[in-house]
Amino acid sequence: MKIIYYAPENLSLKKEIPLNLAPKRRTFYIKKALEKKAEVFTICGDKNERKELIEKFHKEHTFAEFDGLYAESTNWPLRIFDYIFFYKAAKKIPITIFYRDCYWKFPKVYFKVNSLNRLISYFRFVVELLYFKRSSPIFFSRQYILTKY
């Protein structure tokens, strides 16, 4: 079995990231667990590292070689190149999304500091959520019950 593991920000192949926060620990241990069961191509890191890994993926692989893509969301919306990668992948292989946090759904908490950047990121989160829900047959959010409020 071969899978693509997409873990932006909380994991890096270039530098050591301290496992001092739960999201970082989870992405690290999920990668280790996946590697025990499958051949894993990991795309992770900051935007520059992800761009490099996506380029490497396209040079060395095709989506048809893989059985699926497992992606973790971050606390901030992804970049346009991330969405392009997901779009291309969704046409060829199943995608599973773990949508970790949706604090932005609670404006009284998320918008404590009113700013244009928060408003822009809010709309980016909405678009991202809609995009993920349309492109992924398996969409998991641990906070689903909270989104009803």
Coordinates of all heavy atoms in Angstrom, one line a residue, residues 57-131:
F57 N 7.3 15.4 -5.7 CA 6.3 14.4 -5.9 C 6.0 14.3 -7.4 O 6.0 13.2 -8.0 CB 5.0 14.7 -5.1 CG 3.9 13.8 -5.4 CD1 3.8 12.6 -4.8 CD2 3.0 14.0 -6.4 CE1 2.7 11.7 -5.0 CE2 1.9 13.2 -6.7 CZ 1.8 12.0 -6.0
H58 N 5.8 15.4 -8.0 CA 5.4 15.4 -9.5 C 6.5 14.9 -10.3 O 6.3 14.4 -11.4 CB 4.9 16.8 -9.9 CG 3.6 17.1 -9.4 ND1 2.4 16.4 -9.6 CD2 3.1 18.2 -8.6 CE1 1.4 16.9 -9.0 NE2 1.8 18.0 -8.4
K59 N 7.8 15.1 -9.9 CA 8.9 14.7 -10.7 C 9.1 13.2 -10.6 O 9.5 12.5 -11.6 CB 10.2 15.4 -10.2 CG 10.3 16.8 -10.7 CD 11.6 17.4 -10.2 CE 11.7 18.9 -10.6 NZ 12.8 19.6 -10.0
E60 N 8.8 12.6 -9.4 CA 9.1 11.2 -9.1 C 7.9 10.3 -9.1 O 8.1 9.1 -9.2 CB 9.9 11.1 -7.8 CG 11.2 11.8 -7.7 CD 11.8 11.8 -6.3 OE1 11.3 11.1 -5.4 OE2 12.8 12.5 -6.2
H61 N 6.7 10.8 -9.0 CA 5.5 10.0 -8.9 C 4.4 10.5 -9.7 O 4.4 11.6 -10.2 CB 5.1 9.9 -7.4 CG 6.2 9.4 -6.5 ND1 6.5 8.1 -6.4 CD2 7.0 10.1 -5.6 CE1 7.4 7.9 -5.5 NE2 7.8 9.1 -5.0
T62 N 3.3 9.6 -9.8 CA 2.0 10.0 -10.3 C 1.0 9.6 -9.2 O 1.3 8.7 -8.4 CB 1.7 9.3 -11.6 OG1 1.5 7.9 -11.3 CG2 2.7 9.6 -12.7
F63 N -0.1 10.3 -9.2 CA -1.2 9.9 -8.2 C -1.6 8.5 -8.4 O -2.0 7.8 -7.4 CB -2.4 10.9 -8.3 CG -2.1 12.2 -7.9 CD1 -2.0 13.3 -8.7 CD2 -1.8 12.5 -6.5 CE1 -1.7 14.6 -8.3 CE2 -1.6 13.8 -6.1 CZ -1.5 14.8 -7.0
A64 N -1.6 7.9 -9.6 CA -2.0 6.6 -9.9 C -1.2 5.5 -9.1 O -1.7 4.4 -8.9 CB -2.0 6.3 -11.4
E65 N 0.0 5.9 -8.7 CA 0.8 5.0 -7.9 C 0.3 4.8 -6.5 O 0.8 3.9 -5.8 CB 2.3 5.5 -7.9 CG 3.0 5.6 -9.2 CD 4.3 6.3 -9.0 OE1 5.0 6.0 -8.0 OE2 4.7 7.0 -9.9
F66 N -0.5 5.7 -6.0 CA -0.9 5.7 -4.6 C -2.3 5.3 -4.4 O -3.2 5.4 -5.3 CB -0.7 7.1 -4.1 CG 0.7 7.5 -4.0 CD1 1.4 8.0 -5.0 CD2 1.4 7.4 -2.8 CE1 2.8 8.3 -4.9 CE2 2.8 7.7 -2.6 CZ 3.4 8.2 -3.7
D67 N -2.6 4.7 -3.2 CA -3.9 4.2 -2.9 C -4.8 5.3 -2.3 O -6.0 5.1 -2.2 CB -3.8 3.0 -1.9 CG -3.0 1.9 -2.5 OD1 -3.5 1.4 -3.6 OD2 -2.0 1.5 -2.0
G68 N -4.2 6.4 -1.8 CA -5.0 7.4 -1.2 C -4.1 8.5 -0.6 O -2.9 8.4 -0.6
L69 N -4.8 9.6 -0.1 CA -4.1 10.7 0.5 C -4.8 11.0 1.8 O -6.0 11.0 1.9 CB -4.2 11.9 -0.4 CG -3.5 13.2 0.1 CD1 -3.0 14.0 -1.1 CD2 -4.4 14.1 0.9
Y70 N -4.0 11.1 2.9 CA -4.5 11.4 4.2 C -4.0 12.8 4.5 O -2.7 13.0 4.5 CB -4.1 10.4 5.3 CG -4.5 10.9 6.7 CD1 -5.8 10.8 7.1 CD2 -3.5 11.4 7.5 CE1 -6.1 11.2 8.4 CE2 -3.9 11.8 8.8 CZ -5.2 11.7 9.2 OH -5.5 12.2 10.5
A71 N -4.8 13.8 4.9 CA -4.4 15.1 5.1 C -4.9 15.6 6.5 O -6.0 15.3 6.9 CB -4.9 16.1 4.0
E72 N -4.1 16.4 7.1 CA -4.4 17.1 8.4 C -4.6 18.5 8.1 O -3.7 19.1 7.4 CB -3.3 16.9 9.4 CG -3.0 15.4 9.8 CD -3.3 15.2 11.2 OE1 -3.4 16.1 12.0 OE2 -3.4 14.0 11.6
S73 N -5.6 19.2 8.7 CA -5.7 20.6 8.5 C -4.9 21.3 9.5 O -4.3 20.7 10.5 CB -7.2 21.0 8.6 OG -7.6 20.8 9.9
T74 N -4.7 22.6 9.4 CA -4.0 23.4 10.3 C -4.9 24.5 10.9 O -6.1 24.5 10.6 CB -2.8 24.1 9.6 OG1 -3.4 25.1 8.7 CG2 -1.9 23.2 8.9
N75 N -4.3 25.3 11.8 CA -5.1 26.4 12.4 C -5.3 27.6 11.5 O -6.0 28.5 11.8 CB -4.4 26.8 13.7 CG -4.6 25.9 14.8 OD1 -5.5 25.0 14.8 ND2 -3.7 25.9 15.8
W76 N -4.6 27.5 10.4 CA -4.7 28.6 9.4 C -5.0 28.0 8.0 O -4.6 26.9 7.7 CB -3.4 29.4 9.3 CG -3.2 30.2 10.6 CD1 -2.4 29.8 11.6 CD2 -3.9 31.3 11.0 NE1 -2.5 30.7 12.6 CE2 -3.4 31.7 12.3 CE3 -4.9 32.1 10.5 CZ2 -3.9 32.7 13.0 CZ3 -5.4 33.2 11.2 CH2 -4.9 33.5 12.5
P77 N -5.7 28.7 7.2 CA -6.1 28.2 5.9 C -4.8 27.9 5.0 O -3.8 28.5 5.2 CB -6.9 29.3 5.2 CG -7.4 30.1 6.3 CD -6.3 30.0 7.4
L78 N -4.9 26.9 4.2 CA -3.8 26.5 3.3 C -3.6 27.5 2.2 O -4.3 28.4 2.0 CB -4.2 25.1 2.7 CG -4.3 24.0 3.7 CD1 -4.8 22.7 3.0 CD2 -2.9 23.7 4.4
R79 N -2.5 27.3 1.5 CA -2.2 28.1 0.3 C -2.8 27.6 -0.9 O -3.2 26.4 -1.0 CB -0.6 28.2 0.2 CG 0.1 28.5 1.4 CD -0.1 30.0 1.8 NE 0.7 30.3 3.0 CZ 1.1 31.5 3.3 NH1 0.9 32.5 2.5 NH2 1.8 31.7 4.4
I80 N -2.8 28.4 -2.0 CA -3.4 28.0 -3.2 C -2.8 26.8 -3.8 O -3.4 25.9 -4.4 CB -3.4 29.2 -4.2 CG1 -4.3 28.9 -5.4 CG2 -2.0 29.6 -4.7 CD1 -5.8 28.9 -5.2
F81 N -1.4 26.7 -3.7 CA -0.8 25.5 -4.3 C -1.2 24.2 -3.5 O -1.2 23.1 -4.1 CB 0.8 25.6 -4.3 CG 1.4 25.7 -2.9 CD1 1.7 24.6 -2.2 CD2 1.7 27.0 -2.3 CE1 2.3 24.7 -1.0 CE2 2.3 27.1 -1.1 CZ 2.6 25.9 -0.4
D82 N -1.6 24.3 -2.2 CA -2.1 23.1 -1.5 C -3.4 22.7 -2.1 O -3.6 21.5 -2.4 CB -2.3 23.5 0.0 CG -1.0 23.8 0.7 OD1 -0.1 22.9 0.7 OD2 -1.0 24.8 1.3
Y83 N -4.3 23.7 -2.4 CA -5.6 23.3 -3.0 C -5.4 22.7 -4.4 O -6.2 21.8 -4.8 CB -6.5 24.6 -3.1 CG -6.8 25.1 -1.7 CD1 -6.5 26.4 -1.4 CD2 -7.5 24.4 -0.8 CE1 -6.8 27.0 -0.1 CE2 -7.8 24.9 0.5 CZ -7.4 26.2 0.8 OH -7.8 26.7 2.0
I84 N -4.5 23.2 -5.2 CA -4.3 22.7 -6.5 C -3.8 21.2 -6.4 O -4.3 20.4 -7.1 CB -3.2 23.5 -7.3 CG1 -3.8 24.9 -7.6 CG2 -2.8 22.8 -8.5 CD1 -2.8 25.9 -8.1
F85 N -2.9 21.0 -5.4 CA -2.5 19.6 -5.2 C -3.7 18.7 -4.8 O -3.8 17.6 -5.4 CB -1.4 19.5 -4.2 CG -0.8 18.2 -4.0 CD1 0.2 17.7 -4.9 CD2 -1.2 17.3 -3.0 CE1 0.8 16.5 -4.7 CE2 -0.6 16.1 -2.8 CZ 0.4 15.7 -3.7
F86 N -4.5 19.1 -3.9 CA -5.7 18.3 -3.5 C -6.6 18.1 -4.7 O -7.2 17.1 -4.8 CB -6.4 19.0 -2.4 CG -5.8 18.9 -1.0 CD1 -5.5 20.0 -0.3 CD2 -5.4 17.6 -0.5 CE1 -4.9 19.9 1.0 CE2 -4.8 17.5 0.7 CZ -4.5 18.6 1.4
Y87 N -6.8 19.2 -5.5 CA -7.7 19.1 -6.6 C -7.2 18.0 -7.6 O -8.0 17.1 -8.0 CB -7.8 20.4 -7.3 CG -8.6 20.4 -8.6 CD1 -10.0 20.4 -8.5 CD2 -8.0 20.4 -9.8 CE1 -10.8 20.4 -9.7 CE2 -8.8 20.4 -11.0 CZ -10.1 20.4 -10.9 OH -10.9 20.3 -12.1
K88 N -5.9 18.0 -7.9 CA -5.4 17.0 -8.8 C -5.5 15.6 -8.2 O -5.8 14.6 -8.9 CB -3.9 17.3 -9.1 CG -3.7 18.5 -10.0 CD -2.3 18.9 -10.2 CE -2.1 20.1 -11.1 NZ -0.6 20.4 -11.2
A89 N -5.2 15.5 -6.9 CA -5.2 14.2 -6.2 C -6.7 13.7 -6.2 O -6.9 12.5 -6.4 CB -4.7 14.3 -4.8
A90 N -7.6 14.5 -5.9 CA -9.0 14.1 -5.8 C -9.6 13.5 -7.1 O -10.5 12.7 -7.1 CB -9.9 15.2 -5.4
K91 N -9.0 13.8 -8.2 CA -9.4 13.3 -9.5 C -8.9 11.8 -9.7 O -9.5 11.1 -10.5 CB -8.9 14.1 -10.6 CG -9.6 15.5 -10.8 CD -9.0 16.2 -12.0 CE -9.9 17.4 -12.3 NZ -9.6 17.9 -13.6
K92 N -7.9 11.5 -8.9 CA -7.2 10.2 -9.1 C -7.3 9.2 -8.0 O -7.3 8.0 -8.2 CB -5.7 10.4 -9.5 CG -5.5 11.2 -10.7 CD -5.8 10.5 -11.9 CE -5.4 11.4 -13.1 NZ -5.7 10.8 -14.4
I93 N -7.3 9.7 -6.7 CA -7.3 8.8 -5.6 C -8.2 9.4 -4.5 O -8.5 10.6 -4.4 CB -5.8 8.7 -5.0 CG1 -5.3 10.1 -4.6 CG2 -4.9 8.0 -5.9 CD1 -3.9 10.1 -4.0
P94 N -8.7 8.5 -3.6 CA -9.5 9.0 -2.5 C -8.7 9.8 -1.5 O -7.5 9.6 -1.2 CB -10.0 7.7 -1.8 CG -9.2 6.6 -2.4 CD -8.5 7.1 -3.6
I95 N -9.4 10.8 -0.9 CA -8.7 11.7 0.0 C -9.5 11.6 1.4 O -10.7 11.7 1.4 CB -8.8 13.2 -0.5 CG1 -7.9 13.3 -1.7 CG2 -8.2 14.1 0.6 CD1 -8.0 14.7 -2.3
T96 N -8.7 11.5 2.4 CA -9.3 11.5 3.8 C -8.8 12.8 4.5 O -7.6 13.0 4.5 CB -8.9 10.3 4.6 OG1 -9.4 9.1 3.9 CG2 -9.5 10.3 6.0
I97 N -9.7 13.6 5.0 CA -9.3 14.8 5.7 C -9.6 14.7 7.2 O -10.7 14.3 7.6 CB -10.1 16.0 5.2 CG1 -10.0 16.1 3.7 CG2 -9.7 17.3 5.9 CD1 -8.7 16.7 3.1
F98 N -8.6 15.0 8.0 CA -8.8 15.2 9.4 C -8.8 16.7 9.7 O -7.8 17.4 9.6 CB -7.8 14.5 10.3 CG -7.9 14.8 11.8 CD1 -9.1 14.4 12.4 CD2 -6.9 15.3 12.5 CE1 -9.3 14.7 13.8 CE2 -7.1 15.5 13.9 CZ -8.3 15.2 14.5
Y99 N -10.0 17.3 9.9 CA -10.2 18.7 10.1 C -10.1 19.0 11.6 O -11.1 18.8 12.3 CB -11.5 19.2 9.4 CG -11.6 20.6 9.2 CD1 -11.0 21.2 8.1 CD2 -12.3 21.5 10.1 CE1 -11.1 22.6 7.9 CE2 -12.4 22.8 9.9 CZ -11.8 23.4 8.8 OH -11.8 24.7 8.6
R100 N -9.0 19.4 12.0 CA -8.7 19.4 13.4 C -9.5 20.4 14.2 O -10.1 20.1 15.2 CB -7.2 19.6 13.6 CG -6.7 19.3 15.0 CD -5.2 19.6 15.2 NE -5.0 21.0 15.4 CZ -4.1 21.7 14.8 NH1 -3.3 21.2 14.0 NH2 -3.9 23.0 15.1
D101 N -9.4 21.6 13.9 CA -10.0 22.7 14.7 C -10.9 23.6 13.9 O -10.6 23.9 12.7 CB -9.0 23.6 15.4 CG -8.1 22.8 16.4 OD1 -8.7 22.0 17.1 OD2 -6.9 23.0 16.4
C102 N -12.0 24.0 14.5 CA -12.9 24.9 13.8 C -13.3 26.0 14.7 O -14.4 26.4 14.8 CB -14.1 24.2 13.2 SG -15.1 23.3 14.4
Y103 N -12.3 26.6 15.4 CA -12.6 27.7 16.3 C -13.2 28.9 15.6 O -13.9 29.7 16.2 CB -11.3 28.1 17.1 CG -10.7 27.0 17.9 CD1 -9.4 26.5 17.7 CD2 -11.5 26.4 18.9 CE1 -8.9 25.5 18.5 CE2 -10.9 25.4 19.7 CZ -9.7 25.0 19.5 OH -9.1 24.0 20.2
W104 N -12.8 29.0 14.4 CA -13.3 30.2 13.6 C -14.9 30.1 13.5 O -15.5 31.1 13.2 CB -12.7 30.2 12.2 CG -12.9 28.9 11.5 CD1 -12.2 27.8 11.5 CD2 -14.0 28.6 10.6 NE1 -12.7 26.8 10.7 CE2 -13.8 27.3 10.1 CE3 -15.1 29.3 10.2 CZ2 -14.7 26.7 9.3 CZ3 -16.0 28.7 9.3 CH2 -15.8 27.4 8.9
K105 N -15.5 29.0 13.7 CA -17.0 28.9 13.7 C -17.6 29.6 14.9 O -18.8 29.8 14.9 CB -17.4 27.4 13.7 CG -17.1 26.6 12.5 CD -18.1 26.9 11.4 CE -19.4 26.1 11.6 NZ -20.4 26.3 10.6
F106 N -16.8 30.0 15.8 CA -17.3 30.7 17.0 C -16.8 32.1 17.1 O -15.8 32.4 17.7 CB -16.9 29.9 18.3 CG -17.3 28.4 18.2 CD1 -16.3 27.5 17.8 CD2 -18.5 28.0 18.4 CE1 -16.6 26.2 17.7 CE2 -18.9 26.6 18.3 CZ -17.9 25.7 17.9
P107 N -17.5 33.0 16.4 CA -17.0 34.4 16.3 C -16.7 35.1 17.6 O -15.8 35.9 17.7 CB -18.1 35.1 15.5 CG -18.9 34.0 14.8 CD -18.7 32.8 15.7
K108 N -17.5 34.8 18.6 CA -17.2 35.5 19.9 C -15.9 35.1 20.5 O -15.3 35.9 21.2 CB -18.3 35.2 20.9 CG -19.7 35.8 20.6 CD -20.7 35.5 21.6 CE -22.0 36.1 21.1 NZ -23.1 35.7 22.0
V109 N -15.4 34.0 20.2 CA -14.1 33.5 20.6 C -13.0 33.9 19.6 O -12.0 34.5 20.0 CB -14.0 32.0 20.8 CG1 -12.6 31.5 21.2 CG2 -15.0 31.6 21.9
Y110 N -13.3 33.6 18.4 CA -12.3 33.8 17.3 C -12.0 35.3 17.1 O -10.9 35.7 16.8 CB -12.7 33.1 16.0 CG -11.6 33.1 15.0 CD1 -10.5 32.3 15.1 CD2 -11.8 34.0 13.9 CE1 -9.5 32.3 14.1 CE2 -10.8 34.0 12.9 CZ -9.7 33.2 13.0 OH -8.7 33.2 12.1
F111 N -13.0 36.1 17.1 CA -12.9 37.5 16.8 C -12.8 38.4 18.0 O -13.2 39.6 18.1 CB -14.1 38.0 16.0 CG -14.1 37.5 14.6 CD1 -15.0 36.5 14.2 CD2 -13.1 37.9 13.7 CE1 -15.0 36.0 12.9 CE2 -13.1 37.4 12.4 CZ -14.1 36.4 12.0
K112 N -12.1 38.0 19.1 CA -11.8 38.8 20.2 C -11.0 40.1 19.8 O -11.2 41.1 20.3 CB -11.0 38.0 21.3 CG -11.9 37.1 22.1 CD -11.1 36.5 23.2 CE -12.0 35.6 24.0 NZ -11.2 34.9 25.1
V113 N -10.1 39.9 18.9 CA -9.4 41.0 18.3 C -10.0 41.2 16.9 O -9.9 40.4 16.0 CB -7.9 40.7 18.2 CG1 -7.1 41.8 17.5 CG2 -7.3 40.3 19.5
N114 N -10.7 42.3 16.8 CA -11.2 42.7 15.5 C -10.2 43.2 14.5 O -9.5 44.1 14.9 CB -12.4 43.7 15.6 CG -13.6 43.1 16.3 OD1 -13.8 41.9 16.2 ND2 -14.3 43.9 17.0
S115 N -10.0 42.6 13.4 CA -9.1 43.0 12.4 C -9.5 42.6 11.0 O -10.2 41.6 10.9 CB -7.7 42.6 12.8 OG -7.5 41.2 12.5
L116 N -9.0 43.2 10.1 CA -9.2 42.8 8.7 C -8.6 41.5 8.4 O -9.2 40.6 7.7 CB -8.6 43.9 7.7 CG -8.9 43.6 6.2 CD1 -10.4 43.5 5.9 CD2 -8.2 44.7 5.4
N117 N -7.4 41.2 9.0 CA -6.8 39.9 8.8 C -7.7 38.7 9.3 O -7.8 37.7 8.7 CB -5.4 39.8 9.4 CG -4.4 40.6 8.6 OD1 -4.6 40.9 7.4 ND2 -3.3 41.0 9.3
R118 N -8.3 38.9 10.4 CA -9.2 37.9 11.0 C -10.4 37.7 10.1 O -10.8 36.5 9.9 CB -9.7 38.3 12.4 CG -8.6 38.2 13.5 CD -8.4 36.8 13.9 NE -7.4 36.9 15.0 CZ -7.0 35.8 15.6 NH1 -7.5 34.6 15.4 NH2 -6.1 35.9 16.6
L119 N -10.9 38.8 9.6 CA -12.1 38.6 8.7 C -11.7 37.9 7.4 O -12.4 37.0 7.0 CB -12.6 40.0 8.4 CG -13.9 40.1 7.5 CD1 -15.1 39.4 8.3 CD2 -14.3 41.5 7.2
I120 N -10.6 38.2 6.9 CA -10.1 37.5 5.6 C -9.9 36.1 5.9 O -10.3 35.2 5.2 CB -8.8 38.2 5.1 CG1 -9.2 39.6 4.5 CG2 -8.2 37.3 4.0 CD1 -8.0 40.5 4.2
S121 N -9.2 35.8 7.1 CA -8.9 34.4 7.4 C -10.3 33.6 7.6 O -10.4 32.4 7.3 CB -8.0 34.2 8.6 OG -8.5 34.7 9.7
Y122 N -11.3 34.3 8.2 CA -12.6 33.7 8.4 C -13.1 33.2 7.1 O -13.6 32.0 7.0 CB -13.5 34.6 9.1 CG -14.9 34.1 9.3 CD1 -15.2 33.2 10.4 CD2 -15.9 34.3 8.4 CE1 -16.4 32.7 10.5 CE2 -17.2 33.8 8.5 CZ -17.4 33.0 9.6 OH -18.7 32.4 9.7
F123 N -13.1 34.1 6.1 CA -13.7 33.7 4.8 C -12.9 32.6 4.1 O -13.4 31.7 3.5 CB -13.9 34.9 3.9 CG -15.0 35.8 4.4 CD1 -14.8 37.0 4.9 CD2 -16.3 35.3 4.3 CE1 -15.8 37.8 5.3 CE2 -17.4 36.1 4.7 CZ -17.1 37.3 5.2
R124 N -11.5 32.6 4.3 CA -10.7 31.6 3.8 C -11.0 30.2 4.5 O -11.0 29.2 3.8 CB -9.2 31.9 4.0 CG -8.7 33.0 3.1 CD -7.3 33.4 3.3 NE -6.4 32.2 2.9 CZ -5.2 32.2 3.3 NH1 -4.6 33.1 4.0 NH2 -4.4 31.1 3.0
F125 N -11.3 30.3 5.8 CA -11.7 29.0 6.5 C -13.0 28.5 5.9 O -13.1 27.2 5.7 CB -11.8 29.3 8.0 CG -10.6 29.2 8.8 CD1 -10.2 30.2 9.5 CD2 -9.8 28.0 8.7 CE1 -9.0 30.2 10.3 CE2 -8.6 28.0 9.5 CZ -8.2 29.0 10.2
V126 N -14.0 29.3 5.7 CA -15.2 28.9 5.1 C -15.0 28.2 3.8 O -15.5 27.1 3.5 CB -16.2 30.1 5.0 CG1 -17.5 29.6 4.3 CG2 -16.6 30.5 6.4
V127 N -14.3 28.9 2.9 CA -14.0 28.3 1.6 C -13.3 27.0 1.7 O -13.6 26.0 1.0 CB -13.2 29.3 0.7 CG1 -12.7 28.7 -0.6 CG2 -14.1 30.5 0.4
E128 N -12.3 26.9 2.6 CA -11.5 25.7 2.8 C -12.4 24.6 3.2 O -12.3 23.4 2.7 CB -10.4 25.9 3.8 CG -9.6 24.7 4.1 CD -8.4 25.0 5.0 OE1 -7.4 25.5 4.5 OE2 -8.6 24.7 6.2
L129 N -13.3 24.8 4.2 CA -14.2 23.8 4.7 C -15.1 23.3 3.6 O -15.2 22.1 3.4 CB -15.0 24.3 5.9 CG -16.0 23.3 6.5 CD1 -15.3 22.1 7.0 CD2 -16.8 24.0 7.6
L130 N -15.7 24.2 2.8 CA -16.5 23.8 1.7 C -15.7 23.0 0.7 O -16.2 22.0 0.2 CB -17.2 25.0 1.1 CG -18.2 25.7 1.9 CD1 -18.6 27.0 1.3 CD2 -19.4 24.9 2.3
Y131 N -14.5 23.4 0.4 CA -13.7 22.7 -0.6 C -13.3 21.3 -0.1 O -13.5 20.3 -0.8 CB -12.4 23.5 -0.8 CG -11.4 22.8 -1.7 CD1 -11.6 22.9 -3.1 CD2 -10.4 22.1 -1.2 CE1 -10.7 22.3 -4.0 CE2 -9.5 21.4 -2.1 CZ -9.7 21.5 -3.5 OH -8.9 20.9 -4.3

